[in-house]
Amino acid sequence: LRKNVEDFTGPRERSDLGFVTFDITADILNRKKCIFDWNVKQLFLYLSAEYSTKNNALNQVVLWDKIMLRGDNPRLSLKDMKSKYFFFDDGNGLKGNRNITLTLSWNVVPNAGILPLVTGSGHVSVPFPDTYETTKSY
Amino acid sequence: RAAAAAAAMLSLDFLDDVRRMNKRQLYYQVLNFGMIVSSALMIWKGLMVVTGSESPIVVVLSGSMEPAFHRGDLLFLTNRIEDPIRVGEIVVFRIEGREIPIVHRVLKIHEKQNGDIKFLTKGDNNAVDDRGLYKQGQHWLEKKDVVGRARGFVPYIGIVTILMNDYPKFKYAVLFLLGLFVLVHRE
């Protein structure tokens, strides 16, 4: 599981807005065999950013998600993806924040039964720069 | 019409049975019925205690979480305070002043050192997040709005509840037949 990211930030109103582009290469396996067994209807995958700011001890923001149905290819190879959802902070905690951790996780939705949340092994730490960008080239 | 005919036939048998039963047996049947109702209530209350949720089982009412959940699916919830709310979890919440619980996924959380948390939700099948659904001026949900977290589910079974809600005559027919069955069944 690997992710590569580059980023820059811009202010919107009063809160920091972060822009992140990423690549995802992943093989969704469950102990060396395919996770899509007879009782798995779909996987809800999501890429989340977790970080700490002065205002809030813990922040988690979902940047991107995807529904993978049984029968879809369990190998993901996405390049140059832009985040699906706006990465707004609750305040100005993104500027100069050196430690944003990106993790890929998924919710297993069975045909019937328990709904577990699984976090993928491997995560990437990303720093945001100290200055704001004023260009609107997104 | 078929239901009315069946009920008519049942009531003829019912009258014969009642004549055969003496008063003591009738009281016994009523007590039996009361016991069944009390046991059901106790199990429900027990579930509320174990899960920590005021509504441990809910029925999915809309298609906003498709293709994971469809209208009529049954969800099992827990609401333990020790479990922190994290992104990706499926929460069932109520908007202040509204009765209907909503089942959606947590999209963003901002939690303070002391545990105060505010979070945003979105249905998997919706294009936008839930801010438009919240109360006027409300931008975030809080712990107090949460009924529970979905831990497990069973498909289709909740359709019965939806049918009973949408067609009250169906509900009364079901209750009537159930009551009849319990009173008449001698064991």
Side-chain angles (χ1 to χ4, degrees):
Chain A
L1 187 64
R2 260 178 39 240
K3 288 165 282 232
N4 297 314
V5 175
E6 46 169 300
D7 45 37
F8 54 104
T9 65
R12 288 282 187 283
E13 301 173 305
R14 297 157 295 127
S15 303
D16 281 358
L17 176 62
F19 292 92
V20 171
T21 47
F22 53 92
D23 304 336
I24 297 183
T25 325
D27 262 332
I28 316 281
L29 299 169
N30 181 17
R31 275 172 259 145
K32 298 226 177 85
K33 56 181 163 78
C34 188
I35 196 174
F36 284 104
D37 64 23
W38 61 276
N39 194 23
V40 175
K41 183 161 80 172
Q42 72 171 60
L43 293 184
F44 184 90
L45 297 132
Y46 54 101
L47 182 73
S48 57
E50 184 170 318
Y51 60 98
S52 212
T53 64
K54 268 207 321 261
N55 262 351
N56 293 298
L58 175 67
N59 303 275
Q60 287 184 333
V61 178
V62 173
L63 298 179
W64 168 92
D65 55 39
K66 176 181 167 59
I67 294 179
M68 191 188 265
L69 296 168
R70 179 133 149 242
D72 288 352
N73 191 352
R75 290 204 152 74
L76 284 177
S77 189
L78 307 160
K79 300 242 178 299
D80 267 346
M81 304 285 296
K82 298 215 171 71
S83 65
K84 214 174 179 189
Y85 306 109
F86 282 121
F87 186 172
F88 267 114
D89 182 35
D90 177 37
N92 298 327
L94 291 182
K95 177 164 123 168
N97 197 324
R98 292 271 166 248
N99 197 8
I100 317 265
T101 313
L102 296 180
T103 331
L104 185 68
S105 314
W106 55 91
N107 186 197
V108 180
V109 181
N111 282 315
I114 310 236
L115 293 156
L117 268 181
V118 182
T119 307
S121 61
H123 51 86
V124 162
S125 231
V126 162
F128 270 117
D130 289 332
T131 55
Y132 290 124
E133 291 250 343
T134 46
T135 54
K136 293 210 171 124
S137 56
Y138 184 54
Chain B
R1 239 157 257 147
M9 285 192 340
L10 275 172
S11 58
L12 287 175
D13 286 357
F14 177 61
L15 289 174
D16 281 357
D17 268 334
V18 167
R19 269 182 231 124
R20 270 179 258 140
M21 270 197 275
N22 63 25
K23 250 192 204 161
R24 191 172 281 144
Q25 280 177 312
L26 190 62
Y27 291 150
Y28 184 76
Q29 290 296 73
V30 171
L31 272 177
N32 251 345
F33 182 65
M35 218 175 73
I36 293 178
V37 171
S38 305
S39 306
L41 278 176
M42 275 177 68
I43 292 177
W44 182 249
K45 290 285 175 191
L47 262 182
M48 278 171 64
V49 169
V50 163
T51 64
S53 170
E54 61 181 44
S55 193
I57 303 182
V58 292
V59 179
V60 175
L61 295 171
S62 76
S64 56
M65 282 297 278
E66 284 179 26
F69 307 132
H70 298 86
R71 212 170 116 83
D73 291 349
L74 215 63
L75 291 176
F76 297 93
L77 312 181
T78 64
N79 194 26
R80 305 212 184 86
I81 309 187
E82 319 87 77
D83 289 337
I85 299 176
R86 295 289 174 254
V87 289
E89 293 194 335
I90 301 171
V91 294
V92 179
F93 59 92
R94 271 206 194 93
I95 298 175
E96 241 177 286
R98 309 224 194 114
E99 242 188 58
I100 306 184
I102 303 178
V103 184
H104 282 172
R105 202 180 289 272
V106 177
L107 192 71
K108 288 177 98 184
I109 66 162
H110 295 291
E111 185 177 65
K112 297 220 184 283
Q113 191 83 25
N114 61 6
D116 283 346
I117 190 169
K118 55 187 185 190
F119 61 98
L120 179 65
T121 55
K122 173 182 172 292
D124 290 351
N125 207 20
N126 292 345
V128 296
D129 61 42
D130 290 345
R131 281 231 164 89
L133 287 178
Y134 300 163
K135 220 170 58 160
Q136 184 80 302
Q138 179 187 14
H139 298 297
W140 304 94
L141 289 175
E142 292 162 28
K143 267 189 231 168
K144 64 174 176 54
D145 301 309
V146 174
V147 173
R149 245 72 62 74
R151 298 294 181 208
F153 98 110
V154 179
Y156 310 128
I157 300 205
I159 283 273
V160 177
T161 320
I162 294 185
L163 280 176
M164 295 214 289
N165 247 327
D166 289 349
Y167 304 107
K169 293 210 184 111
F170 179 66
K171 174 162 73 177
Y172 298 140
V174 168
L175 289 175
F176 176 70
L177 288 172
L178 267 175
L180 215 55
F181 174 74
V182 172
L183 282 174
V184 167
H185 191 219
R186 280 184 287 158
E187 192 155 31

